[in-house]
Amino acid sequence: MKILLIGAGNMGGAMLSGLDRYDVTVVEAYQPRQEELRALYPNVTLLDTVPSLDGFVVILAIKPQSLAGLVSQGEAEAVISILAGTSLEKVKEKVKAKAYIRAMPNLAALKRKSVTSVCGDKAFKEEALQLLSSIGKAIWLESEAQLDIATGIGGSAPAWIALVAEALSDGAVNIGLPRDKSYAYVAALMEGMGALLEDEHPAIIKDRVTSPGGTTIAGTAALEEGGVRDAFIKAVEVCYERTKGLA
């Protein structure tokens, strides 16, 4: 499978680190970024402009507002668009392909730990899931509406989880734990909880940790008093509304 990655900024670059098993050509017009990529990925072909799409599976990773100025020729085997808030109908207006896929990876692609939402033409479903699994876990959704909803927990929530991690670290530092130790604990905590959540319901995990009159329930009560649960529910909702607004 020949991959043409158009755009290699934050997300495109993060994906590139997991695509080393493929024959990858990158289109990146910004010269300083090109030099960075050349040093990081010496085996990747770098271009300034978009070549003919014939024979390529195109990963479209430019900024959504740049789609209007995209000029392409030829017909791709498939297009995988990671443009936030951009429907496949808009992509079809600018890029010709045999199949169209929309995906939303997250920054953990840098560590091949992204959770990537995927939808689109089922004729290319298996190939898309295989390709996107190279950067983490790929989840097929039945519609673009579902993908827009999943953007909150898949695409944007890493920033919220980072906010939680920072707050937990601040809490420990506030009462005397060194910053480097607090970050080490939080990082290991996040990794361990991810593994547990693959097998158990979050409510069961919470109940297993919580003892009557213990420390955990006292902290949980403080979180509930601060409206943490409600805040996260609303964060997902406003993220979805903003995604619709971008469209």
Side-chain angles (χ1 to χ4, degrees), residues 4 50-56 58 72-76:
L4 180 65
V50 179
S52 170
L53 305 183
D54 292 336
F56 282 109
V58 175
S72 63
Q73 296 179 339
E75 183 179 35

Side-chain angles (χ1 to χ4, degrees), residues 95-153:
V95 183
K96 187 176 182 182
K98 297 174 184 176
Y100 292 86
I101 297 289
R102 189 174 163 199
M104 181 53 64
N106 64 38
L107 197 58
L110 278 168
K111 299 292 185 179
R112 304 190 187 192
K113 293 289 186 180
S114 173
V115 56
T116 304
S117 305
V118 191
C119 69
D121 291 331
K122 290 187 177 179
F124 198 72
K125 173 182 175 180
E126 296 306 319
E127 293 89 341
L129 290 175
Q130 179 183 2
L131 190 156
L132 293 167
S133 292
S134 68
I135 58 169
K137 185 179 183 66
I139 300 175
W140 183 264
L141 300 172
E142 296 304 319
S143 67
E144 291 189 74
Q146 287 186 358
L147 186 141
D148 286 337
I149 296 169
T151 294
I153 55 175

Side-chain angles (χ1 to χ4, degrees), residues 215-227:
T215 58
T216 303
I217 193 62
T220 301
L223 290 170
E224 293 288 5
E225 184 179 353

Side-chain angles (χ1 to χ4, degrees), residues 6-66:
I6 303 179
N10 287 336
M11 189 54 64
M15 294 183 69
L16 185 58
S17 66
L19 296 173
D20 53 0
R21 73 181 72 170
Y22 296 99
D23 177 4
V24 181
T25 298
V26 177
V27 178
E28 176 55 57
Y30 186 52
Q31 194 63 36
R33 179 58 173 160
Q34 257 202 33
E35 295 304 318
E36 291 176 1
L37 294 171
R38 187 169 285 110
L40 290 169
Y41 307 104
N43 295 326
V44 168
T45 302
L46 288 164
L47 301 176
D48 295 305
T49 58
V50 179
S52 170
L53 305 183
D54 292 336
F56 282 109
V57 171
V58 175
I59 299 177
L60 199 57
I62 57 177
K63 296 182 184 301
Q65 59 268 31
S66 299

